[in-house]
Amino acid sequence: LDLTLPKDLEAHEPPEARGLTRDGVRMLISFTDNDRLVHARFADLPDFLRAGDLVVLNVSKTLPAALTARRADGSEVAVHLSSQLPAGLSLVEFRETRVTEGEQLALAGGGRVSALVPYPGSPRLWVARLDLPQPLHRFLERWGRPITYRYLHGSWPLEMYQNVYAAVPGSAEMPSAGRPFTPQMFDRLAAKGVEMASVVLHTGVSSPERGEPPHEEFFEVPHEAAAAVERAQREKRRVIAVGTTVVRALESAVDAAGRPVAARGWTDLVIGPERRTRVVDGLLTGFHEPEGSHLDLVAAIAGHRRFERAYQAAVEASYLWHEFGDVHLIIPSQQPATNNE
């Protein structure tokens, strides 16, 4: 994306610290089948959805996945836990430092993390072993903190990094597109006849290194969600994903003919020009860094020309970026075809 993100458009703190409610953030609406742009607030979401729309949420819950480790020479290293791998292993980022194979670092409370081997295809992630004095989630509750980056000012409690519907612990970072939802919003959408479904995708770390594709992540699309998507497709109703994580989960749970199915496991699917969406018609998402790999997915849904136009309009209208920023709703104005192929 040929776009420079002005530093003053970075969201440095949660909306609540800016005097807003969760649903008070701004929302840009663009369409996949025409060039119209609409400026609104997330609180206006019911005005842009219709009875029968299926909205799909990622109910993964954010972990306090940032830890501080100490090397043998006494220096401190920031450790970000990205994903829990099979066989009791973990995918870990030793933030902004180099480690060596087999190196062991001490964690608070008597824990230890051992760097085993670099993760294939990534310049910054490692397969590691955690030796902890208690179960992982209890250890993180005691010693962990939310993963943050330099554009954030101050420290914020974990509750600020949770969606109100989060239920299944496992994400290294908040699936932030759903942050503006409130219980009252769900009541309003239900009253309008909007349907809801839930999936799980545990997000890994999304550090702003350029050009790195998303790595494998654990997902689950239960039978109920797959059946709801299949019915919506059959009845030509819109399927709208809340976040790129939902797109990745749903698009990983299709059979050879592109039909939705229940599925569970690890996905390395990358949505982009070479792999378009098969079941998702629309997307609610935040505004991503111009170099971010998420943008290929967003452009695959919006269409590249309309996507560029929407991002340029967002900059001109001073929308805020990152997990505590504003949101972008991308929807077809017409009823969808049976699928997007």
Side-chain angles (χ1 to χ4, degrees), residues 53 155 281 308:
D53 282 345
S155 60
D281 303 298
E308 284 190 325

Side-chain angles (χ1 to χ4, degrees), residues 127-191:
V127 176
R129 184 178 64 250
L130 297 175
D131 298 300
L132 304 177
Q134 57 194 138
L136 175 64
H137 289 178
R138 286 179 57 196
F139 183 84
L140 293 179
E141 287 175 4
R142 174 66 180 87
W143 300 106
R145 58 192 181 278
I147 290 176
T148 61
Y149 297 107
R150 291 191 183 95
Y151 55 79
L152 290 178
H153 294 170
S155 60
W156 305 96
L158 184 62
E159 291 73 25
M160 289 291 184
Y161 297 87
Q162 300 291 10
N163 296 323
V164 297
Y165 51 81
V168 183
S171 280
E173 299 182 14
M174 175 175 53
S176 56
R179 193 185 189 281
F181 278 93
T182 63
Q184 295 77 18
M185 176 59 73
F186 287 122
D187 291 342
R188 293 173 61 198
L189 293 176

Side-chain angles (χ1 to χ4, degrees), residues 54-99:
L54 177 65
V55 173
V56 187
L57 308 167
N58 177 12
V59 296
S60 179
K61 193 171 185 179
T62 311
L63 298 174
L67 296 166
T68 299
R70 190 175 296 277
R71 309 181 90 152
D73 64 4
S75 61
E76 291 189 345
V77 175
V79 175
H80 292 178
L81 305 186
S82 183
S83 302
Q84 297 310 298
L85 302 175
L89 300 177
S90 299
L91 189 60
V92 168
E93 178 183 22
F94 297 95
R95 187 74 182 143
E96 298 181 338
T97 193
R98 292 183 181 274
V99 296

Side-chain angles (χ1 to χ4, degrees), residues 95-112:
R95 187 74 182 143
E96 298 181 338
T97 193
R98 292 183 181 274
V99 296
T100 58
E101 291 190 19
E103 183 175 357
Q104 297 186 355
L105 298 86
L107 298 171
R112 184 169 294 277

Side-chain angles (χ1 to χ4, degrees), residues 19-297:
L20 300 173
T21 57
R22 277 193 177 232
D23 62 0
V25 296
R26 299 173 69 193
M27 181 171 68
L28 176 67
I29 302 93
S30 64
F31 300 89
T32 61
D33 47 11
N34 65 58
D35 289 340
R36 190 161 63 105
L37 296 172
V38 180
H39 300 279
R41 294 275 174 183
F42 182 80
D44 303 318
L45 179 64
D47 297 338
F48 299 95
L49 301 184
R50 59 173 73 113
D53 282 345
L54 177 65
V55 173
V56 187
L57 308 167
N58 177 12
V59 296
S60 179
K61 193 171 185 179
T62 311
L63 298 174
L67 296 166
T68 299
R70 190 175 296 277
R71 309 181 90 152
D73 64 4
S75 61
E76 291 189 345
V77 175
V79 175
H80 292 178
L81 305 186
S82 183
S83 302
Q84 297 310 298
L85 302 175
L89 300 177
S90 299
L91 189 60
V92 168
E93 178 183 22
F94 297 95
R95 187 74 182 143
E96 298 181 338
T97 193
R98 292 183 181 274
V99 296
T100 58
E101 291 190 19
E103 183 175 357
Q104 297 186 355
L105 298 86
L107 298 171
R112 184 169 294 277
V113 56
S114 302
L116 301 181
V117 293
Y119 185 71
S122 173
R124 60 188 174 88
L125 298 175
W126 282 74
V127 176
R129 184 178 64 250
L130 297 175
D131 298 300
L132 304 177
Q134 57 194 138
L136 175 64
H137 289 178
R138 286 179 57 196
F139 183 84
L140 293 179
E141 287 175 4
R142 174 66 180 87
W143 300 106
R145 58 192 181 278
I147 290 176
T148 61
Y149 297 107
R150 291 191 183 95
Y151 55 79
L152 290 178
H153 294 170
S155 60
W156 305 96
L158 184 62
E159 291 73 25
M160 289 291 184
Y161 297 87
Q162 300 291 10
N163 296 323
V164 297
Y165 51 81
V168 183
S171 280
E173 299 182 14
M174 175 175 53
S176 56
R179 193 185 189 281
F181 278 93
T182 63
Q184 295 77 18
M185 176 59 73
F186 287 122
D187 291 342
R188 293 173 61 198
L189 293 176
K192 188 158 187 174
V194 174
E195 296 185 17
M196 313 295 296
S198 298
V199 302
V200 170
L201 187 139
H202 293 321
T203 67
V205 295
S206 58
S207 307
E209 277 72 13
R210 301 182 182 185
E212 184 180 345
H215 56 77
E216 290 180 292
E217 294 170 314
F218 180 84
F219 79 101
E220 181 173 10
V221 175
H223 172 76
E224 296 81 2
V229 173
E230 191 277 330
R231 285 194 304 272
Q233 280 194 304
R234 188 174 66 246
E235 296 167 5
K236 296 187 177 180
R237 296 183 281 115
R238 299 185 299 185
V239 177
I240 300 169
V242 177
T244 58
T245 61
V246 171
V247 178
R248 198 180 199 198
L250 290 179
E251 297 293 333
S252 298
V254 295
D255 62 17
R259 293 185 295 263
V261 294
R264 183 177 188 270
W266 292 82
T267 178
D268 61 358
L269 179 65
V270 177
I271 300 293
E274 297 179 359
R275 166 58 163 90
R276 309 284 290 189
T277 58
R278 298 181 179 184
V279 299
V280 172
D281 303 298
L283 172 66
L284 178 73
T285 183
F287 289 100
H288 301 287
E289 292 270 11
E291 304 86 4
S293 59
H294 290 299
L295 294 190
D296 283 340
L297 186 154

